[in-house]
Amino acid sequence: MNTEEQSAPLADAAASSGQRTHPAAWLWLSLVVIVLDQSTKFLVTRFFELYERVEVLPVLDFTLLHNTGAAFSLLAGASGWQRWFFIALAGVVSVLLVAWIWRTPRGDKLLPLALSLILGGAVGNVIDRVVHGYVVDFIHAHWGAAYFPAFNIADSAITIGAVLLILDAFREKR
């Protein structure tokens, strides 16, 4: 076999590695978010009592809280119907996000990244609602006596994903 014949498979391999990845390959990120979210919630519920507060930084506490509502505890005081409503809503949104990711053009990175983060966060929180009937929140940021609503890794992924989605929309306009 001469040198040209030996280098042909290497050239083919290099060409195939340059192909654009299918956006569904980003779904691994959703899985990472779900695993990180559920792992941190497991640890917090294992080692903290409800409402127990541990200062991490002067502006950040870990406090175990149960949120039966939506973002910022919206509808937390409802009679229980909101649990099933949020589970159904997250299920529909998750299916739509997977379809959107699947249809994203090959080579696009920002949009599937954003959608995968949102998907992982949505699934992480819906697992809590199915298993516990509430979402486990524990990250509690504050400035002095002014406290931001508690959140978790899933909420962080959803927020970052939403910001990236907005950035992608602005990028598309140009």
Side-chain angles (χ1 to χ4, degrees), residues 115-139:
L115 297 174
S116 295
L117 287 169
I118 295 168
L119 176 63
V123 171
N125 281 340
V126 84
I127 289 170
D128 282 7
R129 289 189 194 285
V130 169
V131 172
H132 305 295
Y134 52 82
V135 174
V136 175
D137 288 329
F138 63 93
I139 303 169

Side-chain angles (χ1 to χ4, degrees), residues 17-147:
S17 68
Q19 289 179 349
R20 296 177 179 198
T21 308
H22 192 282
W26 285 92
L27 292 175
W28 66 267
L29 182 58
S30 298
L31 183 60
V32 169
V33 168
I34 294 165
V35 168
L36 282 173
D37 177 63
Q38 291 299 304
S39 299
T40 55
K41 289 173 179 175
F42 171 79
L43 290 171
V44 169
T45 56
R46 177 115 164 87
F47 294 107
F48 281 64
E49 295 294 324
L50 188 61
Y51 307 117
E52 181 180 352
R53 179 182 155 259
V54 173
E55 184 177 320
V56 178
L57 296 170
V59 294
L60 181 69
D61 300 337
F62 283 167
T63 307
L64 176 59
L65 300 169
H66 298 163
N67 181 2
T68 56
F72 308 111
S73 296
L74 180 70
L75 297 176
S79 62
W81 63 266
Q82 74 276 21
R83 173 186 184 188
W84 304 109
F85 172 74
F86 291 135
I87 289 170
L89 181 63
V92 169
V93 168
S94 296
V95 168
L96 293 173
L97 287 171
V98 170
W100 193 359
I101 291 168
W102 201 267
R103 293 178 179 200
T104 303
R106 289 181 182 264
D108 197 353
K109 292 183 177 77
L110 190 57
L111 182 59
L113 170 65
L115 297 174
S116 295
L117 287 169
I118 295 168
L119 176 63
V123 171
N125 281 340
V126 84
I127 289 170
D128 282 7
R129 289 189 194 285
V130 169
V131 172
H132 305 295
Y134 52 82
V135 174
V136 175
D137 288 329
F138 63 93
I139 303 169
H140 214 175
H142 59 91
W143 188 260
Y147 279 78

